[in-house]
Amino acid sequence: KQEVTQIPAALSVPEGENLVLNCSFTDSAIYNLQWFRQDPGKGLTSLLLIQSSQREQTSGRLNASLDKSSGRSTLYIAASQPGDSATYLCAAPKAAGNKLTFGGGTRVLVKP
Amino acid sequence: NAGVTQTPKFQVLKTGQSMTLQCAQDMNHNSMYWYRQDPGMGLRLIYYSASEGTTDKGEVPNGYNVSRLNKREFSLRLESAAPSQTSVYFCASSEVVVSYNEQFFGPGTRLTVL
């Protein structure tokens, strides 16, 4: 059974600092890994998806890496802004069209 | 292009009442999913539909039924609501192709069962 863990559960940084968010998974036979952002009381917004054959994926200030052998993915957010304050979740399926297993999320606060 | 839409946004039920949560997507996706999100438990899959005409149980299916009405719509029914079903419910969809399976989520339905 796949288990996905995100540590820490909460993180507070001053504006401008780079954010590093961790995601660990127990079963390396993942099809891909997806990072989401969730604002309070809102739905999930997909940020990045890394295919199992990729090592990293970039979008603007966001960069996500994937190391299947160690069971880890890291989301980097450069030059954080107060608008980056949200909960970030990672999730992975074991096959195309299969169910996602979610981590518990990391709640981020970027202080002005 | 609205993406994934869900109705209603909020609902309050009494124990034993029934209701159906509606979900629709306009991205021509084959797969659709229902999740619930609870504090301390994270997001858990209730049911999913890999393609039109098929449905499968997820992690927490008890107390729920689903219908994949057509390619666009996937509904979740609570036949006899219980307080333990108080949660936020999310619908999601994805296009199943060989190398890409990004899931897109709706805004959620906040359900309270008294």
Side-chain angles (χ1 to χ4, degrees), chain A residues 56-103:
Chain A
E56 65 178 71
Q57 187 71 258
T58 298
S59 175
R61 293 185 296 112
L62 307 181
N63 175 277
S65 66
L66 177 64
D67 184 343
K68 286 179 62 179
S69 62
S70 66
R72 279 190 277 187
S73 177
T74 304
L75 178 66
Y76 300 90
I77 303 178
S80 62
Q81 305 166 357
D84 295 328
S85 298
T87 297
Y88 293 83
L89 299 118
C90 65
K94 289 190 69 177
N98 209 332
K99 54 187 180 180
L100 286 174
T101 301
F102 279 86

Side-chain angles (χ1 to χ4, degrees), chain A residues 4 18 29 33-34 42 49 64 66 69 74 79-80 86 93 104 108:
Chain A
V4 181
N18 294 335
L33 189 135
Q34 197 166 353
K42 304 291 185 184
L49 181 143
L66 177 64
S69 62
T74 304
S80 62
V108 171

Side-chain angles (χ1 to χ4, degrees), chain B residues 71-105:
Chain B
K71 193 172 185 180
R72 288 189 64 244
E73 298 172 289
F74 189 36
S75 64
L76 178 72
R77 183 160 177 84
L78 286 69
E79 291 291 351
S80 180
S84 62
Q85 294 178 305
T86 294
S87 187
V88 182
Y89 292 86
F90 290 102
C91 177
S93 71
S94 68
E95 178 182 5
V96 181
V97 296
V98 173
S99 61
Y100 205 72
N101 188 41
E102 188 174 6
Q103 286 195 22
F104 296 89
F105 280 71

Side-chain angles (χ1 to χ4, degrees), chain B residues 57-68:
Chain B
K57 294 179 181 178
E59 189 180 348
V60 287
N62 291 346
Y64 304 96
N65 285 303
V66 290
S67 296
R68 183 73 184 267

Side-chain angles (χ1 to χ4, degrees), chain B:
Chain B
N1 191 337
V4 180
T5 57
Q6 292 182 236
T7 55
K9 286 187 168 54
F10 301 93
Q11 185 71 50
V12 178
L13 292 177
K14 293 181 181 176
T15 297
Q17 288 185 315
S18 62
M19 79 161 295
T20 300
L21 281 63
Q22 305 286 355
C23 173
Q25 52 91 9
D26 62 2
M27 295 174 281
N28 202 36
H29 285 169
N30 287 298
S31 298
M32 298 185 74
Y33 314 80
W34 278 105
Y35 295 88
R36 60 179 288 175
Q37 185 175 36
D38 303 289
M41 301 295 291
L43 275 140
R44 295 176 292 171
L45 183 71
I46 306 171
Y47 270 94
Y48 67 106
S49 171
S51 61
E52 187 178 355
T54 69
T55 60
D56 287 286
K57 294 179 181 178
E59 189 180 348
V60 287
N62 291 346
Y64 304 96
N65 285 303
V66 290
S67 296
R68 183 73 184 267
L69 304 168
N70 47 55
K71 193 172 185 180
R72 288 189 64 244
E73 298 172 289
F74 189 36
S75 64
L76 178 72
R77 183 160 177 84
L78 286 69
E79 291 291 351
S80 180
S84 62
Q85 294 178 305
T86 294
S87 187
V88 182
Y89 292 86
F90 290 102
C91 177
S93 71
S94 68
E95 178 182 5
V96 181
V97 296
V98 173
S99 61
Y100 205 72
N101 188 41
E102 188 174 6
Q103 286 195 22
F104 296 89
F105 280 71
T109 294
R110 281 147 187 82
L111 175 66
T112 301
V113 183
L114 302 175

